[in-house]
Amino acid sequence: MVKLTVKDFLSAGKDKLDLKLLNPEVNLGRRIKTATFLRPGLALAGYFGYSTPSGVQIFDSPEISYLKKLSKSERSTCLQRYFSCDIPCIVITGNRSYPKELLKLAIKNNVAVIRSTLSTSRLINKIAVYLEDKLAPEFSLHGTFLDVYGVGVLIIGKSGVGKSECALELIERGHRLVADDMVEIKLKAGKFLMGRGAELIRYHMEIRGLGIVNVKEIFGVGAVRNRKRIGMVVTLEKWDSKKEYERLGLEEKIYKILAIKLPHLVIPVRPGRSIPILIEVSALNQRLKRMGFHPAKELNKRLIKSMGRKALKQKELDEVF
């Protein structure tokens, strides 16, 4: 599970979100465990049925006004009940004034209170984008990742099978490198996967016999991109004469990453085969499938239809004779 502390949140959003810590004496090690933020109006009123205590708490005019209208004893009881939940931090929007008890009890319960001059709607939008990115499930995979004709192609296989050499030829043919050797993958919106290169080695490739090359410097900025949605997985493996490889393409293989199913091709490598061209064609074929056209299935339908006509014609001939 990704670990995001209040300190991380404050550091990252200090400038972008205009955040200012109001009680620096508290410990900032509390974890923000969800990208879901909370407007705690119901929680302050004593109903916690739909609360998300592990998310960032947003205090706007309704929450502040409600607290100010309470008597001192009622406000103290309300806030003590509220702080009994394991909340990570409170963000007060719009530079609003707040009851002193809020800050006092926050310090007592070791909860960071942060102020932002941004409006609530702008702040919520920016926080949602940041937290969604930071708290997305992650996975690292050894492979090479490229943008081929708009399709994110993740190339995997055993060390020495030729992944980087294949990628280098694809780059030379005009396609773009996203990552080589180590691909960092994040699950976005629970539906799709985004891949990128590790920051330290981004845009670099290791070619056996040649060494480390910087693709961005050699081929230009148009030969690389920072991230790309993964559209398919290609496994390169040394040709095994005893193994039966797919020839028709009717049976679609699946490769799972973070529970997301991706189209999977296994391409055998042997002298004389142009693997980069095969990957280009596989990417274009995948684009056709996305558009609702499956070449292998369409051909199969035509063959079945043709065989049906021939069988019917033969039956008619048999009846005549």
Side-chain angles (χ1 to χ4, degrees), residues 34 244-245 311 314:
T34 176
E244 194 69 31
Y245 292 102
Q314 184 64 44

Side-chain angles (χ1 to χ4, degrees), residues 132-133 135-137 186-194 260:
E132 185 70 33
D133 179 66
L135 295 174
K186 278 194 174 187
L187 176 63
K188 295 290 187 177
K191 297 179 180 179
F192 60 92
L193 300 168
M194 294 292 291
I260 301 297

Side-chain angles (χ1 to χ4, degrees), residues 19-264:
L19 302 180
K20 180 182 178 182
L21 182 63
L22 299 179
N23 50 351
E25 57 266 64
V26 301
N27 183 2
L28 300 178
R30 289 201 176 199
R31 289 179 62 185
I32 300 171
K33 300 178 182 179
T34 176
T36 305
F37 52 84
L38 177 69
R39 294 288 300 277
L42 288 173
L44 291 173
Y47 181 68
F48 294 88
Y50 291 94
S51 64
T52 309
S54 58
V56 175
Q57 313 288 300
I58 306 293
F59 274 60
D60 194 5
S61 294
E63 291 79 17
I64 298 295
S65 299
Y66 174 76
L67 290 174
K68 286 183 176 179
K69 287 181 180 179
L70 298 176
S71 67
K72 189 173 182 179
S73 61
E74 288 175 332
R75 186 159 53 241
S76 178
T77 301
C78 169
L79 288 172
Q80 285 179 12
R81 182 176 58 230
Y82 173 65
F83 280 116
S84 65
C85 298
D86 188 25
I87 61 176
C89 65
I90 293 171
V91 179
I92 301 173
T93 65
N95 211 20
R96 293 175 176 84
S97 61
Y98 53 88
K100 293 181 180 179
E101 290 91 339
L102 176 63
L103 192 61
K104 184 178 179 180
L105 285 171
I107 294 172
K108 183 179 178 180
N109 289 275
N110 203 32
V111 176
V113 178
I114 303 165
R115 183 195 292 282
S116 175
T117 58
L118 297 180
S119 65
T120 303
S121 58
R122 286 189 63 197
L123 182 69
I124 285 175
N125 288 335
K126 287 176 177 280
I127 287 178
V129 171
Y130 170 76
L131 292 181
E132 185 70 33
D133 179 66
K134 287 295 180 182
L135 295 174
E138 295 180 333
F139 182 73
S140 293
L141 188 68
H142 178 71
T144 302
F145 187 36
L146 299 104
D147 179 352
V148 181
Y149 291 128
V151 179
V153 180
L154 177 60
I155 305 172
I156 60 176
K158 292 182 179 180
S159 180
V161 76
K163 299 185 294 295
S164 296
E165 289 81 357
C166 174
L168 191 60
E169 187 167 342
L170 285 167
I171 293 165
E172 199 275 334
R173 293 169 69 91
H175 305 291
R176 294 186 285 177
L177 174 73
V178 183
D180 183 60
D181 189 51
M182 187 59 65
V183 184
E184 296 179 350
I185 301 169
K186 278 194 174 187
L187 176 63
K188 295 290 187 177
K191 297 179 180 179
F192 60 92
L193 300 168
M194 294 292 291
R196 65 180 181 184
E199 187 174 355
L200 187 63
I201 59 173
R202 193 168 295 165
Y203 312 139
H204 290 78
M205 294 181 68
E206 178 197 349
I207 308 297
R208 281 179 171 80
L210 186 62
I212 304 295
V213 297
N214 188 316
V215 173
K216 182 180 176 182
E217 295 297 327
I218 294 175
F219 295 95
V221 70
V224 297
R225 63 177 302 165
N226 291 334
R227 62 182 65 194
K228 175 68 181 175
R229 179 175 177 173
I230 301 176
M232 63 183 299
V233 179
V234 175
T235 298
L236 300 184
E237 64 174 42
K238 292 182 179 180
W239 186 288
D240 185 353
S241 58
K242 297 179 181 178
K243 186 175 179 179
E244 194 69 31
Y245 292 102
E246 183 65 42
R247 299 187 66 180
L248 299 178
L250 290 172
E251 295 183 11
E252 296 189 15
K253 295 183 175 65
I254 295 297
Y255 194 95
K256 282 187 179 182
I257 300 177
L258 295 174
I260 301 297
K261 295 179 180 179
L262 297 166
H264 182 211

